[in-house]
Amino acid sequence: MTKQDVAKLIDHTQLGACATSADIERLCEEARTYGFASVCVNPCFVPMAHDLLDGNEIKVCTVIGFPLGADAAADKTAQARNAIASGADEIDMVINLGLVKEGDYESVEDDIRVVVADSRVEAAALSKTVIVKVILETCYLTDEEIEKCCLAAKEAGADFVKTSTGFATPKDSAGKALPNGATVHAVELMKKTVGDSLGIKASGGIRSAEDARAMIEAGATRIGASSGVAIVENWKD
């Protein structure tokens, strides 16, 4: 895999709470320079990113129900439709983790399905297509929960399952912070569960070419990272 190949797998990401317009301008310029798959920005920056990348193949990705996933389904769909109307090509939505912990996978699936369906209706009205990725926040989940969430996303018609927001705050019983990003184990489990029927996005804590390579070898077909430039610059063919 060449540097160009790996760049096409990267969602170049800036989701910081204090991100500025200058940060988004730099993000989009780097995306054009390196040929990333997309830029992933907070919803308020979708129109700006769309304008900066107009005429380019690089997609505009944004996040919905982020980072907790606890928004009502109607709010998530409204966010998604507005983002698509504003120029988003890809939607990364967070599942309702409370429903997962209750074991109510029918409602988990319904939550995903309405976002997928409304996103596609909005996109069709604009004569465009949209990709919907489902963020599982795997650091909070057991293996069984990861598998069931993957299957819910598949049944709901999503295009990808994604590991993490990067904003989770898991702790052990003593209150010590635990890792909150993508792991090789989670990616392998997601790949085993959905096979080639869905894409798999590894995101959260992927900062080096070595990290990205490990995720790709585990089955990831997209990488979400704020360190896209460093990953490509240090990639060894």
Side-chain angles (χ1 to χ4, degrees):
M1 182 175 284
T2 66
K3 290 178 184 288
Q4 292 75 20
D5 292 332
V6 74
K8 293 181 185 300
L9 301 182
I10 293 174
D11 289 347
H12 195 37
T13 302
Q14 173 52 271
L15 296 172
C18 297
T20 65
S21 296
D23 293 323
I24 303 307
E25 289 177 3
R26 181 168 55 253
L27 189 81
C28 291
E29 179 59 33
E30 290 170 347
R32 287 193 297 268
T33 298
Y34 289 90
F36 293 128
S38 81
V39 295
C40 187
V41 299
N42 284 313
C44 64
F45 287 119
V46 165
M48 179 181 180
H50 176 262
D51 289 345
L52 288 170
L53 294 171
D54 188 32
N56 199 289
E57 293 184 356
I58 297 162
K59 305 299 184 183
V60 177
C61 174
T62 195
V63 288
I64 300 299
F66 192 88
L68 300 178
D71 306 61
D75 292 334
K76 289 181 181 178
T77 60
Q79 291 171 30
R81 294 187 76 145
N82 182 65
I84 294 164
S86 298
D89 306 293
E90 301 191 357
I91 298 294
D92 287 17
M93 66 162 288
V94 187
I95 61 169
N96 188 314
L97 290 157
L99 293 175
V100 176
K101 291 303 180 181
E102 290 177 0
D104 186 358
Y105 291 99
E106 181 177 350
S107 294
V108 172
E109 185 178 321
D110 288 343
D111 184 61
I112 300 167
R113 180 177 287 107
V114 293
V115 175
V116 171
D118 276 28
S119 294
R120 290 186 176 151
V121 168
E122 186 68 33
L126 298 169
S127 300
K128 59 188 283 186
T129 58
V130 66
I131 286 175
V132 179
K133 310 187 199 90
V134 178
I135 306 174
L136 307 186
E137 204 69 287
T138 53
C139 65
Y140 288 138
L141 306 180
T142 65
D143 284 2
E144 181 181 5
E145 288 168 342
I146 291 171
E147 291 172 344
K148 289 183 176 180
C149 288
C150 284
L151 293 174
K154 179 180 176 180
E155 290 300 315
D159 301 291
F160 276 75
V161 283
K162 174 179 170 181
T163 58
S164 320
T165 65
F167 287 79
T169 55
K171 297 178 181 180
D172 65 16
S173 58
K176 181 181 178 180
L178 297 171
N180 70 347
T183 65
V184 166
H185 173 73
V187 172
E188 288 176 339
L189 181 58
M190 293 159 74
K191 179 66 174 179
K192 179 181 177 181
T193 304
V194 303
D196 296 328
S197 61
L198 298 182
I200 297 170
K201 179 174 174 178
S203 184
I206 302 172
R207 299 184 177 90
S208 68
E210 291 75 19
D211 292 339
R213 187 182 299 276
M215 298 300 166
I216 293 167
E217 290 177 350
T221 55
R222 193 79 70 90
I223 300 292
S226 57
S227 302
V229 171
I231 290 169
V232 174
E233 289 285 358
N234 294 291
W235 187 265
K236 305 299 183 185
D237 296 352

